[in-house]
């Protein structure tokens, strides 16, 4: 019988707590989910570590956009790694590319050294690599533990064909973790079609603001975003997603 593992992409301490209640074995703590995730604050990491007993992985990403980093941004990432380690992170999540779409080996080597033995996940920067199988071998050589990928498609179900190939070629040397668009409606089929045993999902639901006075005409950020609604992981949806796979 296969042993499945589940990581929840958590956008807050509240989401971390709900992920654990729902049965997840690990969370990836991120800020700025609409940008694909950026480094959370020190306080967020400390509180997450204090409130949950499952594994806590922290994304190290100074901004949204591409994965080509300046020397200044790289120095910031090194400091954020140090901060996350001090705050009690069990693992780190980052990825760096060259302008040509290859793994930036020199930059990755520096960040791996700063990680000082903590397990590292190469995040969905992988989905912008021009040669995924070459990238896989390079990441194995660097000592990366996980690759988070949607199979270079908008969602993991759409990328199932490449995910299956990556799973075969990984040959147990590195873990392929399917993520993006994974939920209770497709996780079973995704597992069956790819052979993958680790899954990354958010299991979030909309939560309305308690604010009685609302003025949606005045935006605090980008226009067009409902700032009186936020999305939070719920234990019920985590539990439902996991049960869909385990109970078949």
């Amino acid at each position: 019988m296969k042993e499945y593992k589940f990581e929840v992409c958590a956008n807050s301490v509240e989401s971390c707590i709900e992920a654990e209640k729902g049965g997840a074995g690990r969370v990836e703590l991120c800020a700025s989910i609409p940008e694909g995730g950026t480094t959370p604050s020190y306080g967020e990491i400390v509180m997450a570590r204090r409130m949950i007993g499952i594994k806590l992985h922290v994304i190290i990403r100074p901004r949204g956009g591409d994965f080509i980093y300046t020397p200044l941004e790289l120095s910031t990432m090194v400091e954020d790694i140090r901060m996350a380690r001090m705050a009690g992170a069990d693992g780190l999540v980052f990825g760096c590319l060259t302008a040509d779409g290859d793994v930036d080996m020199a930059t990755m080597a520096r960040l791996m050294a700063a990680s000082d033995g903590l397990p590292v996940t190469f995040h969905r920067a992988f989905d912008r690599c021009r040669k995924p199988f070459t990238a896989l071998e390079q990441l194995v050589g660097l000592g990366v533990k996980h690759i988070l990928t949607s199979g270079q498609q908008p969602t993991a179900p759409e990328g199932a064909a490449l995910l299956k190939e990556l799973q075969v070629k990984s040959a147990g040397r590195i873990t392929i973790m399917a993520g993006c668009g994974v939920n209770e409606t497709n996780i079973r089929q995704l597992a069956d079609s790819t052979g993958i045993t680790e899954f990354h999902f958010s299991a979030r639901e909309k939560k309305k603001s308690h604010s009685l006075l609302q003025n949606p005409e005045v935006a605090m950020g980008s226009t067009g975003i409902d700032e009186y609604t936020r999305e939070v992981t719920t234990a019920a949806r985590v539990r439902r997603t996991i049960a869909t796979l385990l109970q078949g």
Side-chain angles (χ1 to χ4, degrees), residues 78-232:
V78 169
E79 290 302 314
D80 281 339
I81 287 173
R82 183 177 65 84
M83 171 198 69
R85 292 178 67 249
M86 288 176 57
D90 297 301
L92 302 165
V93 183
F94 51 78
C96 306
L97 302 179
T98 68
D100 292 325
D102 297 318
V103 175
D104 187 333
M105 294 294 285
T107 298
M108 284 296 298
R110 181 177 174 187
L111 296 181
M112 291 295 292
S115 301
D116 194 27
L118 284 183
V120 169
T121 298
F122 192 93
H123 56 43
R124 289 189 62 230
F126 186 86
D127 292 324
R128 293 184 178 172
C129 288
R130 66 189 179 102
K131 295 181 178 179
F133 300 117
T134 298
L136 183 148
E137 296 302 328
Q138 291 174 319
L139 295 173
V140 169
L142 284 166
V144 171
K145 298 298 183 186
H146 301 82
I147 296 173
L148 172 61
T149 172
S150 62
Q152 299 200 327
Q153 295 298 318
T155 67
E158 293 171 278
L162 179 56
L163 287 170
K164 182 178 180 179
E165 288 187 79
L166 290 167
Q167 177 71 0
V168 171
K169 291 184 182 296
S170 68
R173 297 170 299 155
I174 192 170
T175 299
I176 304 300
M177 181 164 51
C180 191
V182 177
N183 57 48
E184 59 269 45
T185 70
N186 56 39
I187 192 170
R188 175 80 262 175
Q189 183 177 358
L190 189 58
D192 289 344
S193 64
T194 63
I196 283 174
T197 58
E198 292 208 18
F199 297 91
H200 172 100
F201 53 88
S202 62
R204 288 192 290 270
E205 297 186 57
K206 293 185 183 300
K207 190 172 184 178
K208 287 290 186 181
S209 169
H210 295 299
S211 176
L212 298 178
L213 177 63
Q214 298 186 8
N215 183 359
E217 299 301 317
V218 179
M220 298 294 109
S222 299
T223 57
I225 296 175
D226 181 1
E227 296 182 335
Y228 294 98
T229 301
R230 60 193 180 95
E231 293 193 345
V232 180

Side-chain angles (χ1 to χ4, degrees), residues 4-8 18-26 182-185 187-188 199 201 203 235-248:
Y4 294 105
K5 294 183 179 180
F6 305 97
E7 175 182 275
V8 167
E18 290 292 303
E20 181 173 32
K21 287 180 180 177
R26 184 172 69 234
V182 177
N183 57 48
E184 59 269 45
T185 70
I187 192 170
R188 175 80 262 175
F199 297 91
F201 53 88
R237 195 167 183 208
V238 173
R239 193 176 298 114
R240 190 162 62 244
T241 303
I242 292 173
T244 300
L245 178 55
L246 297 185
Q247 296 173 8

